Amino acid sequence: MEALMKVYRVAVTEIYRKVVSVEALSEREAHQRAWDTWNNTEIILDENDFEGAENAAKAVREKMMESGDFAQVILSRDQYTPEYEIDFDREKLALNGLSSVTAAAAVSAAMSGSVGSYFREDGDEYNIRVRYAPEFRTSTEDIENIVIYNTQGRGIKVRDLGQIVESKVPPTIQRKNRERYISATGIVARGKALSEAVATTEAIMEENPLPPEFAWRIGGDYENQQEMFSDLTLLLLLIIILVYMVMASQFESFLGPLVIMVSIPFAFVGVALGNMVSSMAVGMMSMVGIMILMGIVVKNGIVLIDYTILCQERGMAVRDASVTAARSRLRPILMTTLTTVLGMLPMALGRGEGSELWNGLGVTVAWGLSISTVITLIIIPVLYSGIIERKERRKVKKAAK
């Protein structure tokens, strides 16, 4: 063991204060970014070596800043807290009949205090803390003059037992699954998508591999996004199943609802086209818009197929019924679609503060509904009449046999 042993740390923030300049975003940009759905990616380094992990994280930060995909990269342990440590000399402690535990407890009692008694009033109990007066614990000289008494009752000052050294420590040590880690959080630059920033980060980590004792993974908003997308995907499947079950119970048939559900995939095509045209990435509000579409896009198909079935019940052939239903329901379908799309245009085209949050919802609903409506008016009648005519031909063949 070393001759000098660090047994106690005393943080004296009143003695030493240091102003740390931190690179920050402008006030306007920070305000706008507060509305962005996903705006940062985080590299998490699992560490065994405290100093080595910090050096690796700093190297990663430099590479991320050089890529141009990040406006700012912040280390989780970038700002260290200054403090003073008392290094006790074990030999001096032994010569004076003291132990490291006794010395540490005495300094702690002098600086932070110890509960000497209690004050009770009206059923409440208050601690009476005993410690040095403020004027006797405001400088390093005051710490050196703290008197520690040994078992013989002799007082020894701290300066005679060790020395005070200045050091810096991280304000917190982050842990996950009982493992220490340090993170480098990169704020995505304006005009860049989170997926682009993640791809850049992965390329950086592959081109600059870390030592084998370190493990890394991508967290932050990217990790939250993946978790949310998996949950929303499951929710989307449940919505589709429920919509189909409701239509099947109302139509008392499995065929009609199945034809109507064909319009749903084309809604996804519209969403993809809308995001491509507007240069937007799929975010949380886009997923909310997709779930809204699941209930809207089938509405036009329901109106069309329902009237087609009504015409068939009146004695019309399936092809004539499909044409009649398409002509009769064209106007209400276009009116409802236009009112919905026009209502979403302010959301899709807005450029004010907070518009980044709603643009995805407006673009998703407007484009998805528009494309699915066109497909509904063309594909649904053709598909339905073709299936019914084929079904009728089979019945005729079976009857002929």
Side-chain angles (χ1 to χ4, degrees):
M1 295 181 65
E2 299 179 357
L4 297 178
M5 181 178 60
K6 297 178 179 179
V7 296
Y8 187 73
R9 294 181 174 181
V10 181
V12 188
T13 56
E14 298 86 0
I15 301 174
Y16 185 86
R17 292 184 180 179
K18 183 176 180 180
V19 178
V20 182
S21 60
V22 180
E23 178 185 4
L25 297 173
S26 65
E27 181 179 357
R28 177 176 176 80
E29 186 175 359
H31 179 74
Q32 291 177 346
R33 285 191 168 278
W35 290 93
D36 289 347
T37 309
W38 309 110
N39 62 8
N40 74 71
T41 182
E42 185 179 47
I43 290 291
I44 300 175
L45 304 179
D46 297 327
E47 61 173 356
N48 293 320
D49 180 6
F50 198 84
E51 185 176 354
E54 183 180 349
N55 294 333
K58 288 181 178 179
V60 171
R61 177 176 63 178
E62 293 178 0
K63 295 294 183 181
M64 292 172 69
M65 289 300 299
E66 291 174 359
S67 66
D69 289 346
F70 299 94
Q72 184 181 3
V73 181
I74 304 171
L75 294 184
S76 58
R77 286 206 303 259
D78 200 19
Q79 300 182 26
Y80 279 65
T81 303
E83 70 175 20
Y84 288 99
E85 298 178 352
I86 302 177
D87 289 347
F88 289 110
D89 190 330
R90 294 185 60 194
E91 294 182 0
K92 293 180 179 180
L93 288 173
L95 291 173
N96 289 278
L98 294 170
S99 65
S100 59
V101 176
T102 304
V107 175
S108 176
M111 298 298 296
S112 302
S114 60
V115 178
S117 183
Y118 301 94
F119 173 73
R120 297 178 178 85
E121 181 181 22
D122 297 333
D124 296 328
E125 186 176 87
Y126 306 93
N127 294 336
I128 300 177
R129 186 171 293 276
V130 182
R131 61 177 176 176
Y132 278 23
E135 60 269 20
F136 295 106
R137 48 186 173 87
T138 56
S139 65
T140 54
E141 290 78 10
D142 293 335
I143 299 176
E144 291 176 343
N145 291 328
I146 293 176
V147 178
I148 302 174
Y149 292 92
N150 59 14
T151 55
Q152 288 80 28
R154 186 167 59 90
I156 305 99
K157 292 185 177 181
V158 170
R159 67 160 61 96
D160 298 326
L161 298 174
Q163 60 179 348
I164 299 176
V165 295
E166 181 184 335
S167 65
K168 293 182 181 180
V169 296
T172 58
I173 296 178
Q174 297 171 302
R175 295 180 184 272
K176 190 171 186 178
N177 297 328
R178 298 184 179 181
E179 295 289 339
R180 287 201 314 252
Y181 74 90
I182 181 173
S183 62
T185 304
I187 300 176
V188 181
R190 184 162 296 280
K192 299 290 184 179
L194 180 63
S195 57
E196 296 176 349
V198 171
T200 300
T201 304
E202 291 177 342
I204 291 173
M205 300 306 294
E206 290 177 0
E207 294 173 1
N208 304 274
L210 297 175
E213 61 267 20
F214 297 115
W216 65 275
R217 60 185 177 86
I218 297 180
D221 282 348
Y222 175 74
E223 185 178 19
N224 298 333
Q225 184 191 60
Q226 298 305 306
E227 293 177 357
M228 189 206 70
F229 279 177
S230 62
D231 294 338
L232 289 180
T233 301
L234 177 60
L235 182 60
L236 196 61
L237 293 175
L238 292 176
I239 290 174
I240 293 174
I241 293 172
L242 289 175
V243 169
Y244 179 77
M245 292 174 61
V246 170
M247 289 193 297
S249 64
Q250 292 297 317
F251 282 99
E252 297 181 352
S253 169
F254 293 104
L255 182 60
L258 189 62
V259 173
I260 295 172
M261 297 295 285
V262 173
S263 60
I264 290 180
F266 293 99
F268 289 102
V269 174
V271 173
L273 289 175
N275 287 332
M276 289 176 60
V277 172
S278 58
S279 300
M280 295 179 60
V282 177
M284 180 181 68
M285 297 308 296
S286 298
M287 293 295 293
V288 174
I290 291 174
M291 287 190 291
I292 294 174
L293 278 176
M294 295 303 100
I296 297 178
V297 296
V298 298
K299 172 178 62 65
N300 297 330
I302 292 173
V303 172
L304 200 58
I305 298 299
D306 182 64
Y307 195 79
T308 302
I309 295 174
L310 180 62
C311 291
Q312 286 181 268
E313 292 174 352
R314 292 175 178 175
M316 298 178 64
V318 62
R319 185 169 298 187
D320 294 334
S322 298
V323 173
T324 302
R327 288 176 178 174
S328 177
R329 296 304 179 211
L330 176 62
R331 185 177 178 182
I333 288 175
L334 291 179
M335 288 177 62
T336 55
T337 300
L338 284 175
T339 53
T340 305
V341 171
L342 292 175
M344 287 294 168
L345 283 181
M347 284 188 182
L349 302 177
R351 290 295 179 267
E353 292 185 359
S355 61
E356 296 89 348
L357 182 65
W358 304 108
N359 287 157
L361 176 61
V363 169
T364 298
V365 175
W367 278 85
L369 183 58
S370 300
I371 299 299
S372 66
T373 299
V374 174
I375 299 301
T376 299
L377 293 173
I378 299 174
I379 300 296
I380 299 300
V382 175
L383 184 62
Y384 180 77
S385 62
I387 293 175
I388 296 299
E389 287 180 348
R390 185 177 180 182
K391 187 177 180 181
E392 290 177 351
R393 285 196 297 267
R394 287 183 176 179
K395 287 183 179 180
V396 172
K397 288 182 180 180
K398 287 182 178 181
K401 292 180 180 180

